[in-house]
Amino acid sequence: MPLFNPTEHIGKQSGGSPLTPGEYQVFITDMNIRDGKAAPYYYVKMKVCTGKQEGRQITDTVSTSERAYWKLAEFCHSFGYRQSFDPIDGFDMLRAAAMNNQRPITITLEFEKSNNPDDSPRLRVKKFHWDPDLKESDWEQGGSPEDLVDDIPF
């Protein structure tokens, strides 16, 4: 493997121009649950499905902390998941529903300042959009959530 020289790559980004604040249509491509300081959180990977940035990946987190239930609610409603569930024990079903979703989700990206003054602002999902009048029957689901739940130990 060739040697890596950090100076040659400073300021260069592969994969085109950087994402900018605004609205994007995305699909959730993967998510997992991780331990956080206040509570576990979902690490969500999304792929832009329209526009100049089509194919670009966006990652963000959704906390399971009660203080962040507003964002968890937006996240669930954005892909039509309206069932009551335990945010930790019900993760597999939520993940399956999110990844089986056949409709693009609209998100809004905005810069967020860090608590550390030495860090530059980072692009975060500020809103998962959803239509409160949309019925669950209006959502096109590809398969059932059980299709993605993998309880086979190998």
Side-chain angles (χ1 to χ4, degrees):
M1 177 177 265
L3 294 177
F4 173 75
N5 182 343
T7 306
E8 291 177 8
H9 297 276
I10 195 78
K12 293 182 182 177
Q13 179 175 333
S14 62
S17 60
L19 289 168
T20 57
E23 286 189 4
Y24 293 89
Q25 296 283 309
V26 301
F27 284 107
I28 296 170
T29 58
D30 197 10
M31 58 189 276
N32 56 55
I33 193 165
R34 298 180 177 182
D35 289 329
K37 290 179 186 175
Y41 63 91
Y42 304 148
Y43 182 77
V44 183
K45 294 180 182 179
M46 299 162 273
K47 187 173 275 193
V48 178
C49 60
T50 59
K52 288 188 228 179
Q53 302 292 352
E54 185 174 353
R56 296 290 302 273
Q57 182 171 291
I58 298 170
T59 57
D60 203 61
T61 59
V62 177
S63 177
T64 62
S65 163
E66 287 187 35
R67 288 185 55 203
Y69 272 7
W70 64 271
K71 188 171 182 179
L72 180 57
E74 279 185 356
F75 175 69
C76 292
H77 277 276
S78 72
F79 55 87
Y81 196 83
R82 296 184 179 170
Q83 302 171 35
S84 296
F85 70 102
D86 179 297
I88 309 306
D89 294 336
F91 172 76
D92 288 336
M93 291 299 289
L94 181 69
R95 177 182 181 271
M99 293 179 62
N100 277 333
N101 173 44
Q102 299 297 307
R103 282 183 177 232
I105 296 168
T106 302
I107 61 170
T108 298
L109 294 181
E110 291 182 8
F111 280 111
E112 176 181 271
K113 291 182 181 177
S114 171
N115 292 333
N116 183 345
D118 295 332
D119 290 344
S120 58
R122 61 186 177 151
L123 211 49
R124 295 285 314 264
V125 174
K126 283 298 179 185
K127 181 157 185 65
F128 289 94
H129 298 266
W130 61 283
D131 180 353
D133 297 325
L134 198 62
K135 299 178 190 90
E136 270 190 70
S137 61
D138 294 335
W139 285 86
E140 301 167 17
Q141 295 289 330
S144 70
E146 289 81 10
D147 293 342
L148 288 177
V149 176
D150 185 5
D151 58 355
I152 301 171
F154 54 90

